[in-house]
């Protein structure tokens, strides 16, 4: 797959086949992705790869926390969106729920759907990115963003799909309990990874983008 094809075809995969992802494939993807740039080459990312029983434990404990009504307390919280940004999120949810056949007023099914995010969309593996708290948050967020996208694009080369997910790490204490990531590290984001289940309607979603004319201004061109 060439680069432009990969960038255009990458999308969030929210349903996976159960087939495990070989460790050496994950190794290759991550090894390549460490070529990502970072400010001053600080490479603030730390990578924790989970699969098998450990991932199952995290999924189960996340769902238990959610079901018990524990308020999520992510290490890198995201503020609620407003205005047009919120509208884009609403549009995405409408598109997704239509595809998976969940009515707007069906709170039970919506809650069930939400659980899937906390279960890493039942992917057979997940990559958790964290950074030492001694490096400031805006710096690590930016650099982890870069390696995250690189991982997602590289995964396509191996026939793998990904979904970046804050939900998976909304209960950082759960992730810490099963991986030993210490408090001194800020758990930033997770990436679900596995072989896409293309039969799933969730994977038919093609999220929208604003046209370039709406977001780019040009200066100094004739
Ligand atoms: C920082 C970040 C966090 C995200 N967290 C979630 C999440 O918790 N659950 C989810 O379903 N998608 C999550 N996503 C995926 C976005 O919803 C998705 O990238 C966006 O809708 C664009 O769709 P696409 O990835 O298919 O192009 C996240 C993406 C990013 C960049």
């Amino acid at each position: 797959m060439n680069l432009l094809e990969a960038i255009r075809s990458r999308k969030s995969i929210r349903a996976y086949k159960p087939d495990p992802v070989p460790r050496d494939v994950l190794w290759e993807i991550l090894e390549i992705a460490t070529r990502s740039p970072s400010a001053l080459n600080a490479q603030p990312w730390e990578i924790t790869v989970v699969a098998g029983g450990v991932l199952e434990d995290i999924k189960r404990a996340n769902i238990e926390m959610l079901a018990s009504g524990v308020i999520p307390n992510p290490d890198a919280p995201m503020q609620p969106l407003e205005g047009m940004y919120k509208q884009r999120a609403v549009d995405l949810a409408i598109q997704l729920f239509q595809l998976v056949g969940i009515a707007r007023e069906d709170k039970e099914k919506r809650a069930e759907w939400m659980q899937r995010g906390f279960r890493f969309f039942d992917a057979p593996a997940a990559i958790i990115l964290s950074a030492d708290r001694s490096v400031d948050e805006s710096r690590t967020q930016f650099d982890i963003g870069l390696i995250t996208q690189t991982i997602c694009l590289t995964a396509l080369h191996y026939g793998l799909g990904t979904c970046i997910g804050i939900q998976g790490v909304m209960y950082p204490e759960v992730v810490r309990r099963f991986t030993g990531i210490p408090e001194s590290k800020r758990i930033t984001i997770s990436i679900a990874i596995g072989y896409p289940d293309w039969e799933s309607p969730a994977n038919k979603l093609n999220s929208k983008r604003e046209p370039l004319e709406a977001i780019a201004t040009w200066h100094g061109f004739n």
Side-chain angles (χ1 to χ4, degrees):
M1 185 181 282
N2 81 25
L3 181 62
L4 299 190
E5 211 185 313
I7 295 167
R8 284 201 188 277
S9 66
R10 187 216 53 82
K11 55 154 128 177
S12 294
I13 294 300
R14 297 187 176 90
Y16 294 87
K17 294 181 181 157
D19 312 50
V21 186
R23 191 181 189 275
D24 55 345
V25 170
L26 289 167
W27 179 282
E28 270 185 55
I29 291 169
L30 294 172
E31 214 260 326
I32 292 164
T34 61
R35 294 307 307 168
S36 301
S38 60
L40 295 171
N41 202 24
Q43 306 162 64
W45 43 69
E46 295 187 20
I47 305 172
T48 306
V49 192
V50 284
V54 177
L55 181 56
E56 289 311 311
D57 284 342
I58 295 174
K59 289 178 187 172
R60 201 191 52 250
N62 270 350
I63 299 304
E64 278 167 15
M65 298 282 268
L66 194 62
S68 324
V70 180
I71 309 287
N73 187 23
D75 285 356
M78 291 183 188
Q79 299 303 317
L81 294 170
E82 288 178 10
M84 67 177 178
Y85 307 107
K86 185 174 176 182
Q87 190 54 49
R88 289 175 192 159
V90 169
D91 290 346
L92 176 80
I94 291 172
Q95 239 188 314
L96 183 60
F97 287 143
Q98 255 170 15
L99 277 169
V100 298
I102 299 177
R104 225 189 158 129
E105 58 285 356
D106 192 339
K107 285 198 176 142
E108 204 175 309
K109 283 244 173 76
R110 287 174 74 125
E112 262 173 42
W113 176 266
M114 191 165 76
Q115 285 196 357
R116 296 173 57 80
F118 286 78
R119 293 201 317 261
F120 303 86
F121 300 99
D122 297 324
I127 297 162
I128 292 160
L129 292 151
S130 57
D132 198 272
R133 288 189 200 265
S134 65
V135 188
D136 69 83
E137 187 165 354
S138 55
R139 198 183 275 273
T140 56
Q141 293 289 82
F142 198 103
D143 293 344
I144 284 183
L146 291 172
I147 196 169
T148 298
Q149 165 80 335
T150 310
I151 292 169
C152 295
L153 292 175
T154 309
L156 296 175
H157 175 79
Y158 297 87
L160 289 158
T162 53
C163 189
I164 304 167
I166 186 69
Q167 287 170 304
V169 294
M170 291 260 253
Y171 295 115
E173 61 272 46
V174 165
V175 177
R176 289 201 164 85
R177 196 189 316 153
F178 296 106
T179 60
I181 299 174
E183 265 301 330
S184 58
K185 312 288 175 188
R186 190 185 300 111
I187 298 176
T188 300
I189 200 75
S190 68
I191 308 172
I193 185 162
Y195 298 96
D197 172 3
W198 291 117
E199 299 304 311
S200 165
N203 290 339
K204 310 263 186 255
L205 176 66
N206 287 315
S207 60
K208 296 177 187 157
R209 293 296 186 273
E210 293 299 310
L212 188 61
E213 305 84 73
I215 56 165
T217 57
W218 305 77
H219 306 271
F221 290 86
N222 293 322

